[in-house]
Amino acid sequence: MISKKYFHAVLILLALTTFSITGAFAEEAPPVPAVQEAAPAPAAPASPAWDAKFAADTVWTLVTAFLVFFMNLGFAMVESGLCRSKNAVNILSKNVIVFCVTVVFFWFVGFGIMFSSGNSYFGTTGWMLFGADNSPATGDAYKGIFASLNWTGVPLYAKFIFQLVFAGTAATIVSGAVAERIKYFSFFVFSAAMAIVIYPVAGHWIWGGGWLATMKTPFLDFAGSTVVHSIGGWAALMGAILLGPRIGKYTKDGKVNAIPGHDMGMATLGMFVLWFGWFGFNPGSTMAADADAISRVAINTCIAGAVGGVAATFAAYLALGKPDLSMVLNGILAGLVAITAPCNWVTPVGSFIIGLIAGILVVYAVLFFDKIQVDDPVGALSVHLVNGVWGTLSLGLFAANVSGGITGLFYGGGIAQLIAQIKGVVAVGAYVVVVSLICWAIIKAVMGLRVGEEEEREGLDIGEHGMQAYPDFVGTTSTRGIA
Amino acid sequence: MISKKYFHAVLILLALTTFSITGAFAEEAPPVPAVQEAAPAPAAPASPAWDAKFAADTVWTLVTAFLVFFMNLGFAMVESGLCRSKNAVNILSKNVIVFCVTVVFFWFVGFGIMFSSGNSYFGTTGWMLFGADNSPATGDAYKGIFASLNWTGVPLYAKFIFQLVFAGTAATIVSGAVAERIKYFSFFVFSAAMAIVIYPVAGHWIWGGGWLATMKTPFLDFAGSTVVHSIGGWAALMGAILLGPRIGKYTKDGKVNAIPGHDMGMATLGMFVLWFGWFGFNPGSTMAADADAISRVAINTCIAGAVGGVAATFAAYLALGKPDLSMVLNGILAGLVAITAPCNWVTPVGSFIIGLIAGILVVYAVLFFDKIQVDDPVGALSVHLVNGVWGTLSLGLFAANVSGGITGLFYGGGIAQLIAQIKGVVAVGAYVVVVSLICWAIIKAVMGLRVGEEEEREGLDIGEHGMQAYPDFVGTTSTRGIA
Amino acid sequence: MISKKYFHAVLILLALTTFSITGAFAEEAPPVPAVQEAAPAPAAPASPAWDAKFAADTVWTLVTAFLVFFMNLGFAMVESGLCRSKNAVNILSKNVIVFCVTVVFFWFVGFGIMFSSGNSYFGTTGWMLFGADNSPATGDAYKGIFASLNWTGVPLYAKFIFQLVFAGTAATIVSGAVAERIKYFSFFVFSAAMAIVIYPVAGHWIWGGGWLATMKTPFLDFAGSTVVHSIGGWAALMGAILLGPRIGKYTKDGKVNAIPGHDMGMATLGMFVLWFGWFGFNPGSTMAADADAISRVAINTCIAGAVGGVAATFAAYLALGKPDLSMVLNGILAGLVAITAPCNWVTPVGSFIIGLIAGILVVYAVLFFDKIQVDDPVGALSVHLVNGVWGTLSLGLFAANVSGGITGLFYGGGIAQLIAQIKGVVAVGAYVVVVSLICWAIIKAVMGLRVGEEEEREGLDIGEHGMQAYPDFVGTTSTRGIA
Amino acid sequence: MKKIEAIIKPFKLDEVKDELNKVGVQGITVSEVKGFGRQKGHTELYRGAEYVVDFLPKVKLEIIVTDDVAEKVVQTIMNTAKTGRIGDGKIFVSNLEDAIRIRTGERGKDAI
Amino acid sequence: MKKIEAIIKPFKLDEVKDELNKVGVQGITVSEVKGFGRQKGHTELYRGAEYVVDFLPKVKLEIIVTDDVAEKVVQTIMNTAKTGRIGDGKIFVSNLEDAIRIRTGERGKDAI
Amino acid sequence: MKKIEAIIKPFKLDEVKDELNKVGVQGITVSEVKGFGRQKGHTELYRGAEYVVDFLPKVKLEIIVTDDVAEKVVQTIMNTAKTGRIGDGKIFVSNLEDAIRIRTGERGKDAI
Ligand SMILES: Nc1ncnc2c1ncn2[C@@H]1O[C@H](COP(=O)(O)OP(=O)(O)O)[C@@H](O)[C@H]1O
Ligand SMILES: Nc1ncnc2c1ncn2[C@@H]1O[C@H](COP(=O)(O)OP(=O)(O)O)[C@@H](O)[C@H]1O
Ligand SMILES: Nc1ncnc2c1ncn2[C@@H]1O[C@H](COP(=O)(O)OP(=O)(O)O)[C@@H](O)[C@H]1O
């Protein structure tokens, strides 16, 4: 645990920032939208200016954003369920704080870096959403600094909240792979790094009008197999490697020991919540109530997830002898991750095959990471990294000319799109590996990464948080007269 | 556990099917919508073709479909919570796989049988959604093979996903009644049978333009008290009878032993999730953003559920001496099941009475099934079968001429509607009893239905899945150095 | 436990009421909407009368109402998780029944008192929604008895369900503060009192066109920091005081003993569900798909909650030495409660500061209530009462002229709004304290409030409900042959 | 007095309790234990990694009786808990010096 | 040395521990048990079916002491754990042959 | 025969079991206990209120052996469970009068 001095310093800093901003209260105009005059906001209900499309698009974007937000619960439950009870408070705490931290820092800087106009590599303005913006205007009518998001006609705040919950997801993925051994406040700081520099920069390349989006054949990622899942996955991989495996996971003779999670009900609950949230994640990425697109994306998402589950059931049965529930859960999530990039451009048949391969892939990926002794307690790497990559590539194979003319190899579109996809996968992978390694290394040097051996044995809940998740044993608490 | 040979065979079959379809990739046009030219899909946002009604209807249909999907979690939690911890992994696994299996088979054949044009008894086309369809067009403008769904103006994919999650619900109901003794893979196969033949055929009669829907006074079931709940209930009844009661549930002298569930928090969570999902189930069955209808359905749903809970509280208190929480949960679900058929045609006062009776009915139904020694660990029969029937009939009594001129006995509409309802209940009951009995019997003959006695005693989690739900005892795992 | 006589009496009463209403079935016209002719309801889909705004507003209102409904689960889980396992069934039962009871009584009388036209203090008509109403008409076109809700153009049933789930929330707040010692049926009766008299009367003053809403500078509360949270909080405070602390909580020498909750996973789950639901609570309070407003409210809600979490993490770390997870959860909820009143009128920067203060406030409030020996097992007072007040006042400070010209002290709007806010806080506080005290006192006199000492020691689950939440110990049940 | 400790299979608990009750035993203390013995546990896989579950769930009964009924109690447990399959469990008998009933302060035989 | 086993009501645990501490006891081992005795359990209903909860939650204390303090320990437990109501529990005393402290290898009295 | 009871740190369980297996011990009964001893618990805060966690999680092993191997078993446990840090635990040895294998009815040494 790092010393209190740090926190006092942080608090004072925070207070100062706050005051400097709030000191400017009375003078400043309400920060957003600055160019609002250009597009008069619909005022009272039933006013003639009320625009059906604008309203429908915003309702859709917000509702799906709420669903994506809810995925935080899914991650918290899957990860806690698949870890041991002695670390449950720690994992829950990480999942709670990672979103809170992301909100703060993605608002402060991340969103600006990712979506504001700047160069091909990162945005250079839009801190705290300050700056010119006249959305909901779109196309030529739009004037402002978030040009890369002017394709959707919803208010800036709606765009922001939708992107914000995505950023939160990327950071949460890391949590699972580093579970049961990382220091709480070190993870806290890494979450901030994710929201400030790792996620937004790579995201800018793809969704922010950066170089991958402006190649001759642009790299495509509809809802984030790469942007969210594999970015999270690469960062998680670096963390897991730097931390090393949990005590007792691998024996000197290379044997892999099982460390069963403590609550399969919790893990199953988490999976269902994630799947539910994915119906916001993928169909919501239209950021518009485009009936055809959202229906197509929804059904593709549903099929790939379901088939991933069936495939993992059989793969686990054949490879391991029994349909391991934790593998089935991973299989469904793998299907969902994989379909995330191509969901707008493939047919249900394509989704079926993409999900099928994802479900098989995830089972063998889990075995593989154990073989190379990268300890990933919840399968985050197998689900998000491996299938994030697979899903991104699959777009180049299965895109079926159902929207925007995107056609993959198997549908007669040639190899161009596939090559664009490979470029994107490699570029993002290289960037995230390097930068997250640097971030992890700095945190390790300054605060340390891993808890002490005794704390790890006794559980991080007592060591880091001074509490237990399930303290109900009659003799645990020594409080008089309470039984 | 059935031999691996089966699965290899299945996998190879699957692979072959897949290849035969994917082999046709490049040549074939994107399968759906085939007649799309007739109704140009709205292309880019803000295009003049953008249609507010089309968008609003689709958003509503999808959002409510997501809510219905979420009910899978509700079922998983209610059922696991009300069973013993040694079978928790098994029940969770069943609830996870049943939806995945339904997606695959309902897409392959079920949807075609249920909604495509064919004869009065089943549809004969539309496999894998292939075939002519120009939805969102409605009425005379619609041309295609899913004529029974042309009343709603949403894209085919939206119609499909909404119907798909309904099919999943029907199959899940079975899971609860056969819990704690059925073989995992036998249940797996029965789920497929539900999605292929049991649910879609009976469903075709009512929602697919079949004979019950085209009687002089058509049988009515707004959101599925019969189509979903009592179909699931009848199939579950047959399963529970064929399986016989759990070891120790009934003693030779006719005594009923209590077998308490292992986690009431889980069960309560499940109930709330189901209730939440029901706000998709019932109001979403308009498949259109029809403001009056969806408001009316929503409030009727809410009132019936709440009153069911209050009624069950008092019924349990009077009949059993204490307000048994598991009965209160069942009571709420009973109210929700009962209001599902009539929710669009009754007033809040009607809903109040329907829910009141449902809440009382469910308590006595639980006692009744125990008296006739049909062992239903979670009360699935009392909730879904008994109240599915009650709700369907109640429509003939309480329909209050609030929509479409449907008027029941108590509101001066005469006995015609009630008689139509009785016909439907009997016909569907007879069909499902016979067909599900045949399916169960075939599965029993081929794979066996029930786990061995020792496995049942030790718990299905170890026997069928090789894992425990809560394996966190310090001495359970014998992995070196891990504490 | 009160005698069965009571319940027989209640049941008979209920039956009589029911019959008297249902007896009038055939004669009476469908009760609502009575003036429907004035605004012909959109009949078949695609009819020319279909109105995009009407549909979008209703979809939005219903979807957000469902989210608010879902908060019932959140409360149930947070409260159970933070209490001991021996009282889990009791707390779950209370959370289940409180909503059911609210539905019944808020429909019977509460809604009429709160929103129907009447005097400045309470509405005097609209029982069971009977009475003239031609919504969706708005403004001058509206004719009916719920004039205070004619600003939104959705059907009466949609207005009602949205307000109903709010009423349910207020009642649920009480449950947490009186946990682990109150009699089940006494709480049941108090819930009814909340829905009948406490919540609707104070609510009428603010949202029903009563005197606080018609002051020169009207008291403002966008989504209910005061109307819902502090009303619930004041009622809870009275209950907690009258009940006294749990056995063993405070020792004679003034020492405070910790009584840890039994499941932090459950508590965390509950927090996420509440946050998710809050995205219905606040943005839905527009009761209209007003794109700008709902986006702004959503982002303000998100930021305040997140910052509340971060602030509580550091406050707990500084004050207590470790980032107590239960405090972090409370911190997020505190931020959400605080932003509820001002969410439509402040900027993200304002939300940041409001959340920051809320997160700090809640930690010290928990310590404070323990110091004055008011025992609140789950922190309901610190979250809902303290921050309900803070949030209501903050509106007078941070309102930033972003909507409707509302401007607070710090943004140059002078002190008028702040004074209005103070008036409202004091008036509502005084009213609820007095009336809830009377209600609690009557219940205490008639039925008793607190369970016996032995029952409290052994747990209310056995005493009040005859069951345990987790009865899975092998030797607990003495049922033959079941293992 | 004798202290009789019996390790049995969990699902036999109720039956054993009933039979002991019939032969006049008035008190039993039960705890959940895990047993390692000739009955081998199984090897399970979790996410592809093996683990041996060689501690099996058992129930331990502790019964204090006077010397004269000790043998009858042993026989009763033996007959009732027996399934004839490995892992049925063990009974251990040891000597007890004193017993006290907390409520009354009675000692020795009277306390049982 | 003596081994003292006491079965008491769970809510008395802290008090007993404190009192034992005062009379110099330095080590206690505690476990959760279920007790069957004169104190009858209750009959509960679950979904309409009866079940008898006749194993009640108790706490078992094991304390190893030298012979000389054994009686004092017994008395202390008796006085502190007593509520005078049925089900207060039992204390059993038996002989112990040897005790070893793992950390140091000390044996006998020194190990306690 | 001897009854050997050992209270050890939970994470040592597997190692101890393996070593005992090597010296020929064929049966062990294990239970989760909470220990109070020289190893002091910690003070925790929950929502600002202090509580002392002075019962620490331990594992109790019960092993019945014939007299001749008793000492070897004690030594094995001692060597394996030792970390040298406070709280390593205790071993207690007492006399056992009889042992019965339920499955076969064998008694005494044969039953172990
Ligand atoms: N020597 C022993 N010491 C302590 N407990 C033992 C011993 N031998 C067996 N047990 C207990 O008895 C249980 C059953 O013994 P086991 O050898 O598996 O079968 P059986 O009793 O049929 O020979 C074990 O699980 C263990 O709990
Ligand atoms: N003969 C016995 N052997 C083992 N444990 C016993 C015996 N008699 C009582 N106990 C334990 O003591 C507890 C209390 O005994 P009980 O007969 O209920 O009340 P009391 O101690 O007041 O006579 C029981 O629950 C049981 O755990
Ligand atoms: N006199 C005793 N009687 C029963 N159990 C004891 C006794 N002394 C110690 N123990 C058990 O042994 C454990 C370790 O003892 P402790 O005094 O903490 O450390 P050490 O064994 O290193 O001296 C305790 O937690 C307790 O369970």
Side-chain angles (χ1 to χ4, degrees), chain C residues 218-312:
Chain C
F219 172 80
L220 291 175
D221 183 356
F222 189 69
S225 289
T226 285
V227 178
V228 178
H229 296 282
S230 79
I231 287 184
W234 289 116
L237 177 65
M238 292 303 104
I241 290 175
L242 273 197
L243 276 167
R246 289 166 292 171
I247 297 172
K249 177 68 189 173
Y250 307 109
T251 35
K252 275 149 236 151
D253 48 325
K255 222 181 131 299
V256 180
N257 288 313
I259 305 184
H262 84 286
D263 189 338
M264 294 309 298
M266 215 171 178
T268 306
L269 188 161
M271 182 283 294
F272 274 122
V273 170
L274 285 173
W275 196 345
F276 180 55
W278 235 290
F279 285 123
F281 207 90
N282 288 1
S285 288
T286 56
M287 283 206 258
D290 174 350
D292 273 336
I294 61 181
S295 303
R296 179 176 55 243
V297 171
I299 197 62
N300 283 336
T301 301
C302 189
I303 288 177
V307 174
V310 175

Side-chain angles (χ1 to χ4, degrees), chain B residues 313-334:
Chain B
T313 300
F314 287 107
Y317 184 67
L318 294 176
L320 314 174
K322 298 221 170 155
D324 183 321
L325 177 57
S326 75
M327 286 293 199
V328 179
L329 302 180
N330 277 176
I332 291 170
L333 299 179

Side-chain angles (χ1 to χ4, degrees), chain B residues 47 60 102 131 168 184 220 232 243-244 320 326 345 386 472 476:
Chain B
S47 93
W60 178 249
T102 303
Y184 178 69
L220 291 176
L243 277 166
L320 314 174
S326 75
W345 295 294
V386 173
D472 218 19
T476 302

